């Protein structure tokens, strides 16, 4: 047993399974780079066999990332595993994560397989995967609700076949900390070759206990890998949140006695990047990364903190990336200052051309907005991927008229496959008119299931960040857009969602 916890981030796989959280290849690559900067040990980059798009994402990440292990999920069959291995070719360090359900419910109702068939398939898959890569993780899906005797039999067999990590998912978020911790402990005690593998926890948050369960798996169960996502992103109520689990282990080292390789100073940038990319807003009171996480509003607390910080602060805001000086740049800032700020925020743009394009947008924004905050810069670079030459639809300009007592009218100019078009419409309000104008021309037929506006940095001078969630033929996507003018931000968000709807190929869904 090591004294270090391996942080396995699955934002790009399990997190992305959250309806509307699908990301483009460039977005995933940017997040993967941020995870590498954070010094995450393992990045689960996707599920290569689920679609050609996912295959390309895993491949791109495997080639770009050098300091973290890159992993692909694969169902327990030869085709999925071979596809994962193919996508991971060229990775500095590669892992295949294969899974099959082991609970009676899943085996009977979902897989329609007998326990013996599942046992054989698990064994064969791990054997097959071990012939392709040295690092193989096995997960018994719905493991926590599986019969312990059967689970012991399967896990002993896959360890004998060479599985190097055994992950025990609480797929449906049913566990409670003490029971989950003891469950892992008892598996490790009962399985004769359990010491040949690293034990891992993977908890969903349906009852709000994913972080607590994961920590119990570590403390009571002896697990040494935690699977988690930035901001706890994930299907339904989400996954165990990386920032919370990491800061709990770090802040309570006296209790856990374990080390982590994570560079926590990059946590906030990672949180913002994921939130701005997916449109999943972080609640203000969210631990560690919420806007209020380090804000002391009550007089008594403020007084205490001014006298001695540790009266009310158990962590230092700077240690997770909050900076005291939030105003970073303005109209007179030059390209070098901008580039340096990007680096400090953990944003890596690939080429000088990309930096120049981002800088041009920064200048344009600085002309309209006196103070440019970190959040503005992050929004600006996440908009960067939506350029006319890369995307089917890109925003150009907008004019709208609204007056009390009159029906608002908007005219939107945007590009479709690089060609400029203009469309006009009335609407209930200027935003409605603008989106109707776009839809009148594109005719996507998509249903809008969510529209939200968020002030990026807290005042009316701030940029509005808009999220639009569209649903079409069973597919759900989120588009985001930001601009000091929320009507423009809305049009950008709508076009970004249309781009995602277009590019999102049908995928095979991973369970859990
Ligand atoms: O929750 C789950 O069971 C999963 C598996 C695929 C590991 O995500
Ligand atoms: Zn899961």
């Amino acid at each position: 047993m090591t004294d270090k916890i391996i942080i396995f981030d699955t934002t790009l796989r399990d997190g992305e399974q959250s309806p509307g959280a699908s990301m483009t290849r460039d977005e995933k690559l940017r997040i993967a780079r941020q995870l590498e900067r954070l010094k995450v040990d393992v990045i689960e980059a996707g599920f290569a066999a689920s679609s050609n798009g996912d295959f390309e994402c895993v491949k791109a990440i495997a080639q770009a990332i050098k300091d973290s292990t890159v992993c692909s999920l694969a169902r327990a069959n030869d085709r999925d595993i071979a596809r994962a291995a193919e996508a991971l070719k060229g990775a500095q360090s590669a892992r295949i994560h294969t899974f099959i359900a082991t609970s009676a419910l899943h085996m009977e109702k979902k897989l329609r397989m007998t326990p013996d068939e599942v046992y054989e398939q698990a064994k064969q898959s791990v054997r097959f995967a071990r012939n392709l890569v040295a690092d193989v993780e096995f997960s018994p899906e719905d493991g926590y609700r599986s019969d312990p005797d059967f689970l012991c039999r399967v896990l002993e067999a896959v360890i004998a076949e060479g599985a190097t990590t055994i992950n025990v998912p609480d797929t449906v978020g049913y566990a409670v900390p003490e029971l989950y911790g003891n469950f892992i402990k008892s598996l490790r005690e009962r399985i004769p070759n359990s010491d040949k593998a690293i034990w891992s926890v993977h908890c969903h948050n349906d009852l709000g206990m994913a972080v607590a369960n994961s920590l119990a798996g570590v403390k009571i169960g002896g697990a040494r890998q935690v699977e988690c996502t930035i901001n706890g992103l994930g299907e339904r109520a989400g996954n165990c949140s990386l920032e919370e689990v990491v800061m709990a282990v770090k802040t309570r080292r006296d209790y856990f006695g374990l080390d982590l390789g994570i560079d926590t100073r990059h946590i906030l940038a990672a949180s913002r990047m994921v939130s701005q990319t997916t449109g999943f807003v972080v609640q203000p009171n969210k631990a560690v990364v919420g806007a209020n996480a380090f804000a002391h509003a009550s007089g008594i607390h403020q007084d205490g903190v001014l006298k001695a910080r540790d009266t009310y602060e158990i962590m230092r805001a700077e240690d997770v990336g909050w900076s005291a000086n939030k105003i970073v740049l303005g109209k007179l800032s030059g390209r070098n200052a901008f580039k340096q700020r990007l680096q400090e925020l953990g944003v890596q743009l690939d080429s000088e051309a990309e930096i120049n394009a981002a800088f041009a947008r920064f200048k344009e924004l600085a002309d309209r907005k006196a103070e440019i905050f970190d959040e503005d810069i992050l929004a600006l670079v996440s908009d960067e991927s939506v350029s006319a030459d890369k995307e089917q639809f890109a925003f150009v300009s907008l004019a709208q008229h609204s007056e009390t007592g009159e029906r608002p009218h908007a005219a939107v100019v945007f590009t479709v496959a690089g060609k400029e078009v203009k469309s006009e419409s009335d609407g209930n309000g200027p935003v409605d008119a603008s989106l109707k104008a776009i839809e009148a021309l594109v005719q996507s037929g998509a249903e809008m299931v969510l529209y939200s506006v968020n002030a990026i940095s807290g005042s009316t001078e701030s940029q509005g960040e808009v999220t639009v969630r569209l649903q079409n033929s069973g597919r759900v996507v989120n588009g985001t857009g930001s601009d000091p003018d929320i009507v423009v931000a809305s049009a950008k968000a709508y076009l970004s969602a249309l781009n995602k709807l277009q590019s999102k190929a049908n995928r095979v869904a991973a369970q859990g």
Side-chain angles (χ1 to χ4, degrees):
M1 217 203 292
T2 72
D3 281 340
K4 186 192 164 219
I5 296 192
I6 296 166
I7 293 294
F8 176 113
D9 180 280
T10 182
T11 307
L12 302 176
R13 196 281 296 172
D14 213 333
E16 203 212 15
Q17 278 172 228
S18 179
S22 68
M23 298 168 232
T24 64
R25 197 190 75 118
D26 287 356
E27 288 168 343
K28 283 190 162 191
L29 206 48
R30 190 177 316 132
I31 291 174
R33 290 205 169 102
Q34 180 63 17
L35 294 173
E36 185 182 36
R37 221 166 278 125
L38 199 56
K39 296 199 176 14
V40 156
D41 301 282
V42 186
I43 299 173
E44 189 162 49
F47 177 10
S50 68
S51 70
N52 289 339
D54 240 34
F55 177 87
E56 291 304 328
C57 288
V58 176
K59 190 170 163 189
I61 293 170
Q63 281 165 7
I65 298 299
K66 300 290 168 229
D67 297 335
S68 309
T69 295
V70 179
C71 171
S72 172
L73 186 70
R75 284 167 301 188
N77 65 59
D78 290 2
R79 185 196 159 269
D80 268 32
I81 293 169
R83 195 86 177 127
E86 174 74 22
L88 291 168
K89 253 191 210 152
Q92 195 95 345
S93 165
R95 174 181 296 187
I96 292 177
H97 174 193
T98 188
F99 74 100
I100 189 165
T102 49
S103 67
L105 188 65
H106 279 228
M107 288 190 292
E108 189 194 326
K109 304 278 187 226
K110 190 184 74 176
L111 298 177
R112 295 184 201 283
M113 287 168 77
T114 64
D116 283 346
E117 285 167 342
V118 166
Y119 171 82
E120 283 306 326
Q121 194 158 326
K123 262 176 65 169
Q124 276 175 27
S125 301
V126 170
R127 188 181 312 158
F128 184 69
R130 269 308 301 260
N131 284 330
L132 300 172
V133 294
D135 187 351
V136 173
E137 172 170 333
F138 175 78
S139 288
E141 194 198 359
D142 206 17
Y144 181 66
R145 292 195 302 169
S146 302
D147 169 53
D149 292 343
F150 177 61
L151 200 52
C152 284
R153 194 176 149 226
V154 172
L155 297 183
E156 183 179 347
V158 295
I159 296 172
E161 292 295 344
T164 42
T165 300
I166 296 295
N167 178 47
V168 184
D170 176 23
T171 303
V172 292
Y174 181 67
V176 291
E178 193 186 350
L179 299 182
Y180 183 69
N182 280 323
F183 189 69
I184 309 267
K185 181 168 184 263
S186 130
L187 292 174
R188 289 183 54 236
E189 282 168 359
R190 289 181 55 190
I191 296 174
N193 55 1
S194 67
D195 60 325
K196 303 277 182 300
I198 291 172
W199 287 73
S200 166
V201 288
H202 178 114
C203 297
H204 281 265
N205 201 33
D206 298 66
L207 294 173
M209 290 188 280
V211 172
N213 289 337
S214 303
L215 291 171
V218 167
K219 181 72 180 173
I220 305 173
R224 288 296 176 266
Q225 174 175 286
V226 175
E227 303 204 348
C228 46
T229 59
I230 301 288
N231 299 337
L233 187 71
E235 253 179 313
R236 309 186 307 275
N239 284 66
C240 170
S241 132
L242 179 145
E243 57 281 4
E244 292 179 20
V245 95
V246 162
M247 290 317 288
V249 172
K250 190 172 165 178
T251 309
R252 295 307 309 270
R253 201 180 181 290
D254 59 321
Y255 177 71
F256 291 103
L258 294 165
D259 294 321
L260 293 155
I262 298 294
D263 183 347
T264 60
R265 292 167 308 161
H266 296 293
I267 283 181
L268 187 65
S271 162
R272 286 180 175 160
M273 197 180 280
V274 169
S275 154
Q276 291 187 338
T277 305
T278 58
F280 281 65
V281 176
V282 173
Q283 78 202 49
N285 59 331
K286 167 92 167 65
V288 184
V289 293
N292 289 353
F294 292 91
H296 299 277
S298 99
I300 295 174
H301 287 204
Q302 280 175 353
D303 181 51
V305 169
L306 287 175
K307 286 179 178 143
R309 283 178 68 161
D310 53 3
T311 49
Y312 288 99
E313 274 186 13
I314 57 163
M315 301 172 263
R316 285 168 10 124
E318 307 87 281
D319 288 350
V320 294
W322 291 94
S323 71
N325 175 14
K326 293 198 85 196
I327 299 168
V328 287
L329 298 173
K331 199 175 168 158
L332 300 177
S333 309
R335 189 177 177 282
N336 277 347
F338 176 70
K339 203 171 154 185
Q340 190 184 333
R341 196 65 200 127
L342 284 180
Q343 266 163 16
E344 284 161 9
L345 286 170
V347 177
Q348 185 185 326
L349 295 180
D350 287 336
S351 61
E352 286 301 303
E354 271 188 327
I355 297 176
N356 289 343
F359 184 60
R361 294 161 78 93
F362 161 75
K363 279 292 189 190
E364 192 215 315
L365 181 63
D367 273 341
R368 290 186 290 151
K369 189 170 183 289
E371 295 169 332
I372 306 288
F373 295 85
D374 291 355
E375 293 88 341
D376 294 317
I377 295 180
L378 286 168
L380 186 135
V381 291
S382 59
D383 262 9
E384 190 56 30
S385 54
V386 188
S387 61
D389 54 338
K390 281 198 205 153
E391 301 284 1
Q392 176 75 353
F393 306 110
F395 177 81
V396 177
S397 66
L398 182 153
Q400 54 88 8
H401 180 82
S402 65
E403 205 174 317
T404 311
E406 274 185 26
R407 192 161 164 78
H409 182 85
V412 186
V413 181
F414 57 105
T415 56
V416 181
K419 189 168 163 283
E420 209 163 285
V421 293
K422 183 176 179 185
S423 182
E424 304 194 23
S425 175
D426 289 350
N428 288 349
V431 170
D432 188 46
S434 306
L435 304 198
K436 281 198 168 116
I438 297 173
E439 184 58 27
L441 203 135
V442 174
Q443 306 221 327
S444 73
E447 181 195 353
M448 190 181 301
V449 286
L450 177 126
Y451 171 82
S452 85
V453 192
N454 181 34
I456 290 188
S457 46
S459 78
T460 51
E461 283 180 0
S462 126
Q463 290 201 85
E465 184 174 55
V466 173
T467 302
V468 165
R469 185 174 299 165
L470 297 182
Q471 183 170 350
N472 203 1
S473 316
R475 287 183 289 158
V476 183
V477 293
N478 273 349
T480 56
S482 47
D483 197 275
D485 178 337
I486 60 163
V487 186
V488 171
S490 304
K492 286 182 177 175
Y494 195 74
L495 291 167
S496 137
L498 290 177
N499 280 326
K500 288 192 177 176
L501 262 188
Q502 277 238 331
S503 69
K504 194 177 167 195
N506 279 326
R507 294 178 184 195
V508 181
Q511 285 76 28

